[in-house]
């Protein structure tokens, strides 16, 4: 199957005309047609004929291709604005919304020659960790259809896991790339805040939102990041820091790097199978002469409160524009989970409560920044779980909002700090459900995370496994 | 009697649209006035999903420039905040503004008040924000409807807030005129009130001078947001301590005269309530310029909770001292300094200096002419005063002629009017003999009679001669 190949292999093969873009796109549509009805990963599938026509056009010009992503089929979480293509953020509030412009990340991929095949299902507005809080029906986990795919970027994760396209662009505000990547057995990168432009991303929490790649491997994520990263004149929070050649740097040596294991992330509440699986992976790192160091990050417990005050505060303001007047749908279309977040945020910002909630959370955020600074001055990379449990049963989290919040416990503290994190597959439970771990580094250390992740994937083949969905 | 017991307390809030090329947070043209509705729009100023604001550097610099011209301090750290409220002309559901870290704070402007000669009005803050869209109430096919024009949405807007230091409607007007002049000098806005590019909001209350019952103990000074008592600097504490515990804001007035009228109306309205033992309601009122009255718009209970919080889409602004100094260097000599210099250097009257400096163009023109005096030299009869007279009395057209051309005109006129010293002396001697009574009166101290004699000289000269020169000669002859 062409879709098992890495971006590097595909790009080379296309150039050498061992196969065509048309064949590659054709294969994607075959898988989409076979698996999507089971998974419900898509909100919008791009017209097949159109995509194939596009592919044939690109095949003609393959010799002139400059980008490795030329002719590579990809998917976007439906939070990205696409001109002329329905964009909903998985909410009926934007049921029939056709945007007038392109998100920067989408435009960059188009410019590179990549081919969009669909807009993916997710938790509405990014509000959730299971892709059940969607008006388009829950996304199902390809490894067990009775379970969730994770969220909020569940659609992209399920689709990449089942080989419906080569890569996807997810969006991570508190784990939204890493959580579904871990539960669907793919690789996902939450970039440093400001590394990739947010222009054209339907905002959840503006100071946490990050745009990142989801793919089969660390190498593929590096290829995509190289194209989408960089300063954007349309996003004042995007960084002008130089974009390294990530895909070339992933083979750089890792000897003597220090991998920190913060004990608070491996205590009560973490599923034993997941814990043992992740701690076992340290052996692989040690073989590559990476040193292991046990550290402490006592702020851990405050991660969820900080995230669930600032996130909803910002979302309450960000969603104010969907006032029932301009986008054709009434506000009653907001789901109860979204209404809950709007209410919490409105409350936290209100006169008389601001100091006690929003402001206090911002102060705690500063403490988190200091704590991560300290940990990352002692270690180069931190190793942490992504999710406390394996994928939950469909409906389980939706009936228990508090449990729903707890699913994010390991991934919410990196976003307020801004640091990057790479989620990679590291094994399976005895029931055959994927387990992921995350590598966290200091600001703009994506190259380092990718290097360490790549070493791990060279030594293991967890990331090469994919679900059996036939029959 | 009233005047002795009561005293108006007035503060001003002024919004000024900057005339930058592009809007505050996007690349759309900011030149929106009288353009076809919704033609200067993009995803950013329409508040479309996913769009992000990028601050206009020029607008921010201009805001700082105005702050500096108003003697403000420029904190090296500043940020934008979101002001959340719903209104159909506000497409994002919030306005990007500045809350607790404005670009400019603690300034002042000395106004030339009647009593005493000048009075210092403190400026609390000058901050940057964006304008909203415009609602147009129309009748379409017999159906009443409201249309929205987003061309104005995102136009850079500077808000200037004074301390409640103004004590009369006249002073308010003088302050606004001076502020207008400074804005024009800085060339950052047309400040055209008819177009709405300068909008005025007076805050008015009336204080009982002698009695204490209206005084507010400091523990009750409420922070706008938290509703909690907030102790600020000692100065502010003392001032606030003396303020009435209510204020009435009159919204969006578009002329200095209306501001004056609205303030006077409010003072009288509030006085009447106070005299009858009541306390006026804290509220926002509108101004009806046809009936010349204010009318209630929104009471304290209906006041918004704006839920301000830092704008996460725009990084905080950090200045270096050098950057601020660079902006300061771009500020031209301001009117009050120019007036002093003109009086000092050119020996013209304060009145003339004020007229000449009214707008920077005339002032510059005048100076260019003065520089040319030497060139026209040979102990030229042309003094800065003569140039000033010519410009002020519009005897020359500064819009049509260059300074050199004008100097030629004045020179020729001067030649034509030139009177030989000897001739003048002869005429004066003759007149002294002709009017012995007047001469006698002058010598007994009735100097007013000099004007009569000057008149007689000029009559004899048939309009030639310079009154000042004649006066000099007359005085000499009469000694």
């Amino acid at each position: 199957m062409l879709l098992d190949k890495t971006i590097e292999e595909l790009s080379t093969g296309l150039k050498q005309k061992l196969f065509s873009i048309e064949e590659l796109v054709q294969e994607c549509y075959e898988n989409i047609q076979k698996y999507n009805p089971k998974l419900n990963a898509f909100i919008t599938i791009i017209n097949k004929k159109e995509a194939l026509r596009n592919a044939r056009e690109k095949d003609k010009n393959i010799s002139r291709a400059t980008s490795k992503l030329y002719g590579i089929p990809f998917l976007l979480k439906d939070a990205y604005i696409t001109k002329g293509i329905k964009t909903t953020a998985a909410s009926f509030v934007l049921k029939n919304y056709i945007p007038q412009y392109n998100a920067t990340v989408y435009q960059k991929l188009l410019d590179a020659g990549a081919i969009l095949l669909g807009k993916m299902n997710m938790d509405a507005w990014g509000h959730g960790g299971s892709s059940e809080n969607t008006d388009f029906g829950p996304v199902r986990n390809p490894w067990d259809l009775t379970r969730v795919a994770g969220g909020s970027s569940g659609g992209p994760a399920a689709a990449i896991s089942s080989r419906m396209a080569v890569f996807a662009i997810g969006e991570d505000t508190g784990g939204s790339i890493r959580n579904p990547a871990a539960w669907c057995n793919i690789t996902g990168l939450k970039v440093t805040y400001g590394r990739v432009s947010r222009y054209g991303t339907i905002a959840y929490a503006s100071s946490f939102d990050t745009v990142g790649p989801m793919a089969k491997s660390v190498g593929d994520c590096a290829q995509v990041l190289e194209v989408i990263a960089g300063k954007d004149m349309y996003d004042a929070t995007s960084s002008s820091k130089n974009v390294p050649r990530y895909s070339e740097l992933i083979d750089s040596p890792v000897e003597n790097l220090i991998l920190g294991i913060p004990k608070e992330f491996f205590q009560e509440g973490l599923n034993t199978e997941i814990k043992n699986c992740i701690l076992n992976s340290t052996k692989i790192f040690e073989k590559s002469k990476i040193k292991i160091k046990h550290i402490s990050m006592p702020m851990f417990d405050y991660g969820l409160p900080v995230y669930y005050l600032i996130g909803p505060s910002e979302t309450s303001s960000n969603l104010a524009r969907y006032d029932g007047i301009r986008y054709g749908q009434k506000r009653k279309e907001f789901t109860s989970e979204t209404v809950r977040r709007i209410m919490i945020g409105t409350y936290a910002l209100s006169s008389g409560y601001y100091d006690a909630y929003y402001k206090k959370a911002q102060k705690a955020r500063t403490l988190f920044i200091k704590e991560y600074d300290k940990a990352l001055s002692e270690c180069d990379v931190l190793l942490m779980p992504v999710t406390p449990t394996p994928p939950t049963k469909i409906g389980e989290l939706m009936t228990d909002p508090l449990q729903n919040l707890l699913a994010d416990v390991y991934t919410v503290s990196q976003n307020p700090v801004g640091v990057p994190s790479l989620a990679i597959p590291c094994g399976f439970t005895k029931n055959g459900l994927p387990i992921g771990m995350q590598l966290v580094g200091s600001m703009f250390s994506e190259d380092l995370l990718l290097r360490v992740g790549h070493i791990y994937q060279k030594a293991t083949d967890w990331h090469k496994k994919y679900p059996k969905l036939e029959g | 009697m009233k005047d002795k017991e009561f005293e108006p307390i007035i503060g001003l809030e002024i919004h000024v649209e900057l005339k930058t090329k592009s809007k505050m947070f996007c690349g759309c043209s900011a030149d929106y006035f009288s353009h076809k509705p919704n033609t200067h729009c993009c995803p950013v100023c329409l508040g479309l999903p996913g769009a992000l604001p990028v601050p206009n550097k020029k607008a921010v610099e201009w805001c700082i420039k105005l702050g500096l011209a108003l003697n403000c301090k420029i904190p090296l750290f500043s940020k934008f905040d979101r002001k959340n409220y719903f209104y159909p002309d506000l497409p994002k559901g919030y306005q990007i503004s500045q809350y607790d870290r404005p670009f400019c704070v603690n300034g002042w402007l000395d106004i030339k008040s009647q009593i005493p000669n000048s009075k210092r009005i403190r400026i609390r803050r000058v901050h940057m924000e964006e304008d909203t869209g415009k609602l147009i109430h129309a009748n379409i096919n017999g159906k009443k409807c409201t249309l929205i024009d987003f061309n104005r949405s995102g136009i850079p807007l500077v808000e200037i807030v004074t301390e409640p230091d103004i004590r009369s409607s006249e002073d308010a007007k003088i302050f606004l005129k001076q502020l207008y002049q400074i804005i024009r000098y800085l060339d950052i806005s047309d400040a055209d009130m008819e177009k709405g590019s300068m909008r005025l909001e007076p805050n008015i209350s009336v204080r009982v001078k002698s009695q204490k019952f209206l005084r507010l103990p400091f523990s009750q000074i409420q922070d706008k947001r938290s509703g909690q008592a907030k102790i600020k600097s000692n100065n502010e504490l003392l001032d606030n301590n003396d303020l009435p515990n209510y204020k009435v804001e009159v919204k969006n007035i578009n002329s200095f005269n209306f501001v004056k009228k609205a303030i006077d109306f409010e003072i009288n309205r509030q006085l009447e309530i106070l005299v009858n033992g009541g306390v006026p309601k804290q509220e926002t009122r509108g101004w009806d310029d046809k009936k010349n009255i204010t009318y209630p718009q929104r009471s304290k209970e209906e006041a918004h909770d704006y839920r301000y919080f830092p704008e996460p889409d725009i990084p905080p602004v950090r200045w270096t001292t050098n950057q601020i100094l660079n902006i300061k260097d771009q500020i031209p000599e301001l009117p009050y300094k120019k007036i002093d210099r003109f009086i000092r250097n050119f020996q013209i009257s304060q009145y003339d200096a004020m007229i000449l400096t009214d707008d920077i163009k005339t002032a510059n023109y005048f100076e260019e002419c003065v520089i040319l005096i030497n060139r026209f030299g040979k102990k030229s009869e042309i003094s800065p005063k003569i140039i000033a007279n010519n410009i002020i009395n519009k005897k020359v057209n500064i819009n049509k002629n260059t300074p050199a051309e004008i100097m030629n005109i004045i020179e020729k006129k001067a030649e034509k009017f030139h009177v030989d010293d000897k001739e003048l002396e002869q005429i004066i001697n003759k007149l002294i003999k002709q009017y012995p009574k007047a001469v006698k009166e002058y010598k007994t101290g009735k100097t007013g009679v000099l004007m009569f004699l000057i008149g007689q000289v000029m009559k004899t000269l048939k309009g030639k001669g310079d009154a000042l020169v004649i006066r000099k000669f007359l005085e000499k002859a009469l000694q």
Side-chain angles (χ1 to χ4, degrees), chain A residues 97 101 198 200-201 206 233 236-237 317-318 321-322 326-327 351-352 354, chain B residues 46-51 54 82 84 91-92 94 225-226 305 307-308 313 315:
Chain A
Y97 177 60
Y101 73 104
R198 291 182 297 118
T201 309
S206 312
M233 61 179 290
T237 63
S317 173
N318 285 334
R321 69 190 65 189
Y322 309 108
R326 291 208 299 157
Y327 297 94
S351 165
Y354 180 88
Chain B
L46 288 172
L48 295 185
V54 178
R82 287 189 187 176
N84 295 285
K92 299 190 293 302
Y94 56 85
R225 189 213 323 262
S226 67
D305 177 355
R307 305 192 307 280
Y308 280 101
D313 288 331

CSV table of all heavy atoms in Angstrom, one decimal, chain A residues 97 101 198 200-201 206 233 236-237 317-318 321-322 326-327 351-352 354, chain B residues 46-51 54 82 84 91-92 94 225-226 305 307-308 313 315:
chain,number,residue,atom,x,y,z
A,97,TYR,N,-21.5,27.1,6.7
A,97,TYR,CA,-20.6,28.3,6.6
A,97,TYR,C,-19.6,28.0,5.5
A,97,TYR,O,-18.8,27.1,5.6
A,97,TYR,CB,-20.0,28.6,7.9
A,97,TYR,CG,-19.0,29.8,7.8
A,97,TYR,CD1,-19.4,31.0,7.3
A,97,TYR,CD2,-17.7,29.6,8.1
A,97,TYR,CE1,-18.5,32.1,7.2
A,97,TYR,CE2,-16.8,30.7,7.9
A,97,TYR,CZ,-17.2,31.9,7.5
A,97,TYR,OH,-16.3,32.9,7.4
A,101,TYR,N,-11.9,33.1,2.8
A,101,TYR,CA,-10.4,33.2,2.7
A,101,TYR,C,-9.8,31.9,3.1
A,101,TYR,O,-10.5,31.0,3.6
A,101,TYR,CB,-9.9,34.4,3.5
A,101,TYR,CG,-10.0,34.2,5.0
A,101,TYR,CD1,-8.8,33.9,5.7
A,101,TYR,CD2,-11.2,34.3,5.7
A,101,TYR,CE1,-8.8,33.7,7.1
A,101,TYR,CE2,-11.2,34.1,7.1
A,101,TYR,CZ,-10.0,33.8,7.8
A,101,TYR,OH,-10.1,33.6,9.1
A,198,ARG,N,-1.6,31.0,13.4
A,198,ARG,CA,-2.9,30.6,13.7
A,198,ARG,C,-3.9,31.3,12.8
A,198,ARG,O,-5.1,31.1,13.0
A,198,ARG,CB,-3.2,31.0,15.2
A,198,ARG,CG,-2.5,30.2,16.2
A,198,ARG,CD,-2.9,30.6,17.6
A,198,ARG,NE,-2.6,32.0,17.9
A,198,ARG,CZ,-3.4,32.9,18.2
A,198,ARG,NH1,-4.7,32.7,18.3
A,198,ARG,NH2,-3.1,34.2,18.4
A,200,GLY,N,-6.6,32.1,10.5
A,200,GLY,CA,-7.6,31.2,9.8
A,200,GLY,C,-7.9,29.9,10.6
A,200,GLY,O,-8.5,29.0,10.1
A,201,THR,N,-7.5,29.9,11.9
A,201,THR,CA,-7.9,28.8,12.8
A,201,THR,C,-9.0,29.3,13.6
A,201,THR,O,-8.9,30.3,14.3
A,201,THR,CB,-6.7,28.4,13.7
A,201,THR,OG1,-5.5,28.3,13.0
A,201,THR,CG2,-7.0,27.2,14.5
A,206,SER,N,-7.3,31.4,22.5
A,206,SER,CA,-6.2,32.0,21.6
A,206,SER,C,-4.8,32.0,22.2
A,206,SER,O,-3.9,31.8,21.4
A,206,SER,CB,-6.6,33.5,21.4
A,206,SER,OG,-7.9,33.6,21.0
A,233,MET,N,2.7,37.4,8.6
A,233,MET,CA,2.3,38.8,8.9
A,233,MET,C,0.9,39.0,9.3
A,233,MET,O,0.5,40.0,9.8
A,233,MET,CB,2.6,39.7,7.6
A,233,MET,CG,1.8,39.3,6.4
A,233,MET,SD,2.1,40.3,5.0
A,233,MET,CE,1.3,41.8,5.4
A,236,ALA,N,0.1,38.2,14.7
A,236,ALA,CA,1.1,38.9,15.5
A,236,ALA,C,1.7,38.1,16.6
A,236,ALA,O,2.8,38.4,17.1
A,236,ALA,CB,0.3,40.1,16.2
A,237,THR,N,1.2,36.9,16.9
A,237,THR,CA,1.8,36.0,17.9
A,237,THR,C,2.7,35.0,17.2
A,237,THR,O,3.3,34.2,17.9
A,237,THR,CB,0.7,35.3,18.8
A,237,THR,OG1,-0.1,34.5,17.9
A,237,THR,CG2,-0.2,36.3,19.4
A,317,SER,N,-15.1,34.7,25.0
A,317,SER,CA,-15.0,35.9,24.2
A,317,SER,C,-14.9,35.5,22.8
A,317,SER,O,-15.5,36.2,21.9
A,317,SER,CB,-13.7,36.6,24.7
A,317,SER,OG,-13.4,37.7,23.9
A,318,ASN,N,-14.1,34.5,22.4
A,318,ASN,CA,-13.9,34.1,21.1
A,318,ASN,C,-15.2,33.7,20.4
A,318,ASN,O,-15.4,33.8,19.2
A,318,ASN,CB,-12.9,32.9,20.9
A,318,ASN,CG,-11.5,33.4,21.2
A,318,ASN,OD1,-11.2,34.6,20.9
A,318,ASN,ND2,-10.6,32.5,21.6
A,321,ARG,N,-18.8,36.2,18.7
A,321,ARG,CA,-19.2,36.6,17.4
A,321,ARG,C,-20.2,35.7,16.8
A,321,ARG,O,-20.9,36.2,15.8
A,321,ARG,CB,-17.9,36.7,16.5
A,321,ARG,CG,-17.3,35.3,16.1
A,321,ARG,CD,-16.0,35.4,15.5
A,321,ARG,NE,-15.0,36.0,16.4
A,321,ARG,CZ,-13.8,36.4,16.0
A,321,ARG,NH1,-13.4,36.3,14.8
A,321,ARG,NH2,-13.0,36.9,16.9
A,322,TYR,N,-20.4,34.5,17.3
A,322,TYR,CA,-21.5,33.7,16.8
A,322,TYR,C,-22.7,34.0,17.5
A,322,TYR,O,-23.2,33.3,18.4
A,322,TYR,CB,-21.1,32.2,16.9
A,322,TYR,CG,-19.7,32.0,16.3
A,322,TYR,CD1,-18.6,31.7,17.2
A,322,TYR,CD2,-19.5,32.1,15.0
A,322,TYR,CE1,-17.3,31.6,16.6
A,322,TYR,CE2,-18.2,31.9,14.4
A,322,TYR,CZ,-17.1,31.7,15.3
A,322,TYR,OH,-15.9,31.5,14.7
A,326,ARG,N,-25.3,36.6,12.3
A,326,ARG,CA,-24.5,36.6,11.1
A,326,ARG,C,-24.3,35.2,10.4
A,326,ARG,O,-23.9,35.2,9.2
A,326,ARG,CB,-23.2,37.3,11.3
A,326,ARG,CG,-23.4,38.8,11.6
A,326,ARG,CD,-22.3,39.6,11.2
A,326,ARG,NE,-21.1,39.2,11.9
A,326,ARG,CZ,-19.8,39.4,11.5
A,326,ARG,NH1,-19.6,40.0,10.3
A,326,ARG,NH2,-18.8,39.0,12.2
A,327,TYR,N,-24.3,34.1,11.1
A,327,TYR,CA,-23.9,32.9,10.5
A,327,TYR,C,-25.1,32.0,10.2
A,327,TYR,O,-24.9,30.8,9.9
A,327,TYR,CB,-22.8,32.2,11.3
A,327,TYR,CG,-21.6,33.1,11.3
A,327,TYR,CD1,-21.4,34.0,12.4
A,327,TYR,CD2,-20.7,33.1,10.2
A,327,TYR,CE1,-20.3,34.8,12.4
A,327,TYR,CE2,-19.6,34.0,10.2
A,327,TYR,CZ,-19.4,34.8,11.3
A,327,TYR,OH,-18.3,35.7,11.3
A,351,SER,N,-17.1,41.0,36.7
A,351,SER,CA,-16.8,41.9,37.7
A,351,SER,C,-17.0,41.3,39.1
A,351,SER,O,-18.0,40.6,39.4
A,351,SER,CB,-17.8,43.1,37.6
A,351,SER,OG,-17.8,43.9,38.7
A,352,GLY,N,-16.0,41.4,39.9
A,352,GLY,CA,-16.1,40.8,41.3
A,352,GLY,C,-15.5,39.4,41.4
A,352,GLY,O,-15.2,38.9,42.4
A,354,TYR,N,-13.2,38.3,38.7
A,354,TYR,CA,-12.0,38.3,37.9
A,354,TYR,C,-10.7,38.0,38.7
A,354,TYR,O,-9.9,37.2,38.3
A,354,TYR,CB,-11.9,39.7,37.2
A,354,TYR,CG,-10.7,39.9,36.3
A,354,TYR,CD1,-10.8,39.5,34.9
A,354,TYR,CD2,-9.6,40.4,36.7
A,354,TYR,CE1,-9.8,39.7,34.1
A,354,TYR,CE2,-8.5,40.6,35.9
A,354,TYR,CZ,-8.6,40.3,34.5
A,354,TYR,OH,-7.5,40.5,33.7
B,46,LEU,N,-14.2,42.4,9.6
B,46,LEU,CA,-15.5,41.8,9.6
B,46,LEU,C,-15.6,40.8,10.8
B,46,LEU,O,-16.7,40.3,11.0
B,46,LEU,CB,-15.8,41.1,8.3
B,46,LEU,CG,-16.0,42.0,7.1
B,46,LEU,CD1,-16.1,41.2,5.8
B,46,LEU,CD2,-17.3,42.9,7.3
B,47,GLY,N,-14.5,40.5,11.5
B,47,GLY,CA,-14.6,39.6,12.6
B,47,GLY,C,-14.9,38.2,12.2
B,47,GLY,O,-15.6,37.5,12.9
B,48,LEU,N,-14.5,37.8,11.0
B,48,LEU,CA,-14.8,36.4,10.5
B,48,LEU,C,-14.1,35.4,11.3
B,48,LEU,O,-13.0,35.7,11.9
B,48,LEU,CB,-14.4,36.3,9.0
B,48,LEU,CG,-15.2,37.2,8.0
B,48,LEU,CD1,-14.8,36.9,6.6
B,48,LEU,CD2,-16.7,37.0,8.2
B,49,PRO,N,-14.6,34.2,11.4
B,49,PRO,CA,-13.9,33.1,12.1
B,49,PRO,C,-12.5,33.0,11.7
B,49,PRO,O,-12.2,33.0,10.5
B,49,PRO,CB,-14.7,31.9,11.7
B,49,PRO,CG,-16.1,32.4,11.3
B,49,PRO,CD,-15.8,33.7,10.7
B,50,GLY,N,-11.6,32.8,12.7
B,50,GLY,CA,-10.2,32.6,12.4
B,50,GLY,C,-9.3,33.8,12.1
B,50,GLY,O,-8.1,33.7,12.1
B,51,ALA,N,-10.0,35.0,11.9
B,51,ALA,CA,-9.1,36.1,11.5
B,51,ALA,C,-8.5,36.7,12.8
B,51,ALA,O,-9.0,36.5,13.9
B,51,ALA,CB,-10.0,37.2,10.9
B,54,VAL,N,-3.6,42.4,13.7
B,54,VAL,CA,-2.1,42.7,13.8
B,54,VAL,C,-2.1,44.3,13.9
B,54,VAL,O,-2.5,45.0,13.1
B,54,VAL,CB,-1.4,42.3,12.5
B,54,VAL,CG1,0.1,42.7,12.6
B,54,VAL,CG2,-1.5,40.8,12.3
B,82,ARG,N,-9.4,43.1,25.7
B,82,ARG,CA,-10.7,42.9,25.0
B,82,ARG,C,-11.8,43.5,25.9
B,82,ARG,O,-11.8,43.2,27.1
B,82,ARG,CB,-11.0,41.5,24.8
B,82,ARG,CG,-10.2,40.9,23.7
B,82,ARG,CD,-10.7,39.5,23.3
B,82,ARG,NE,-9.8,38.8,22.4
B,82,ARG,CZ,-10.0,37.6,22.0
B,82,ARG,NH1,-11.0,36.8,22.5
B,82,ARG,NH2,-9.2,37.0,21.1
B,84,ASN,N,-15.5,43.3,26.2
B,84,ASN,CA,-16.6,42.4,25.7
B,84,ASN,C,-18.0,43.0,25.9
B,84,ASN,O,-18.4,43.3,27.0
B,84,ASN,CB,-16.6,41.0,26.4
B,84,ASN,CG,-15.3,40.3,26.2
B,84,ASN,OD1,-15.1,39.7,25.1
B,84,ASN,ND2,-14.4,40.3,27.1
B,91,PRO,N,-18.4,43.4,15.2
B,91,PRO,CA,-18.5,42.1,14.6
B,91,PRO,C,-17.9,41.0,15.5
B,91,PRO,O,-18.3,39.8,15.3
B,91,PRO,CB,-17.9,42.2,13.3
B,91,PRO,CG,-17.0,43.4,13.4
B,91,PRO,CD,-17.7,44.3,14.4
B,92,LYS,N,-16.9,41.3,16.3
B,92,LYS,CA,-16.2,40.2,17.0
B,92,LYS,C,-16.9,39.9,18.4
B,92,LYS,O,-16.6,38.9,19.0
B,92,LYS,CB,-14.8,40.5,17.3
B,92,LYS,CG,-13.9,40.7,16.1
B,92,LYS,CD,-12.4,40.8,16.4
B,92,LYS,CE,-12.1,42.1,17.2
B,92,LYS,NZ,-12.4,43.4,16.5
B,94,TYR,N,-16.5,41.8,20.8
B,94,TYR,CA,-15.6,42.6,21.7
B,94,TYR,C,-14.9,43.6,20.9
B,94,TYR,O,-14.6,43.5,19.7
B,94,TYR,CB,-14.6,41.6,22.4
B,94,TYR,CG,-13.7,40.8,21.6
B,94,TYR,CD1,-12.5,41.3,21.0
B,94,TYR,CD2,-14.1,39.5,21.2
B,94,TYR,CE1,-11.7,40.6,20.2
B,94,TYR,CE2,-13.3,38.7,20.4
B,94,TYR,CZ,-12.1,39.3,19.9
B,94,TYR,OH,-11.3,38.5,19.1
B,225,ARG,N,-14.1,47.5,37.8
B,225,ARG,CA,-14.3,46.1,37.5
B,225,ARG,C,-14.7,45.3,38.7
B,225,ARG,O,-15.7,44.6,38.7
B,225,ARG,CB,-13.1,45.5,36.8
B,225,ARG,CG,-13.5,44.1,36.2
B,225,ARG,CD,-12.4,43.1,36.3
B,225,ARG,NE,-11.1,43.6,35.9
B,225,ARG,CZ,-10.6,43.5,34.7
B,225,ARG,NH1,-11.3,43.0,33.7
B,225,ARG,NH2,-9.4,43.9,34.5
B,226,SER,N,-13.8,45.3,39.7
B,226,SER,CA,-14.0,44.3,40.7
B,226,SER,C,-15.1,44.7,41.7
B,226,SER,O,-15.6,43.9,42.4
B,226,SER,CB,-12.7,44.1,41.5
B,226,SER,OG,-12.4,45.3,42.2
B,305,ASP,N,-21.0,45.0,32.1
B,305,ASP,CA,-19.8,44.5,32.7
B,305,ASP,C,-19.0,44.0,31.5
B,305,ASP,O,-19.3,43.1,30.8
B,305,ASP,CB,-20.2,43.3,33.6
B,305,ASP,CG,-19.0,42.6,34.2
B,305,ASP,OD1,-17.8,43.0,33.8
B,305,ASP,OD2,-19.1,41.7,35.0
B,307,ARG,N,-16.1,42.7,31.2
B,307,ARG,CA,-15.2,41.6,31.3
B,307,ARG,C,-13.9,41.8,30.5
B,307,ARG,O,-13.5,40.9,29.7
B,307,ARG,CB,-16.0,40.3,30.8
B,307,ARG,CG,-17.3,40.1,31.5
B,307,ARG,CD,-17.9,38.7,31.2
B,307,ARG,NE,-18.0,38.4,29.8
B,307,ARG,CZ,-18.9,38.8,29.0
B,307,ARG,NH1,-19.9,39.6,29.5
B,307,ARG,NH2,-18.9,38.5,27.7
B,308,TYR,N,-13.3,42.9,30.8
B,308,TYR,CA,-12.0,43.1,30.2
B,308,TYR,C,-11.0,42.0,30.5
B,308,TYR,O,-10.9,41.5,31.7
B,308,TYR,CB,-11.4,44.4,30.8
B,308,TYR,CG,-11.9,45.7,30.2
B,308,TYR,CD1,-12.8,46.4,30.9
B,308,TYR,CD2,-11.4,46.2,29.0
B,308,TYR,CE1,-13.3,47.6,30.4
B,308,TYR,CE2,-11.8,47.4,28.5
B,308,TYR,CZ,-12.8,48.1,29.3
B,308,TYR,OH,-13.2,49.3,28.8
B,313,ASP,N,-4.5,37.7,21.3
B,313,ASP,CA,-4.0,37.7,19.9
B,313,ASP,C,-2.9,38.7,19.6
B,313,ASP,O,-2.3,38.7,18.5
B,313,ASP,CB,-5.2,37.9,19.0
B,313,ASP,CG,-6.1,36.7,18.9
B,313,ASP,OD1,-5.6,35.6,19.1
B,313,ASP,OD2,-7.3,36.9,18.7
B,315,PRO,N,0.7,40.3,21.2
B,315,PRO,CA,1.7,40.3,22.3
B,315,PRO,C,1.7,41.7,23.0
B,315,PRO,O,1.5,42.7,22.3
B,315,PRO,CB,3.0,40.0,21.6
B,315,PRO,CG,2.6,39.5,20.3
B,315,PRO,CD,1.3,40.1,19.9
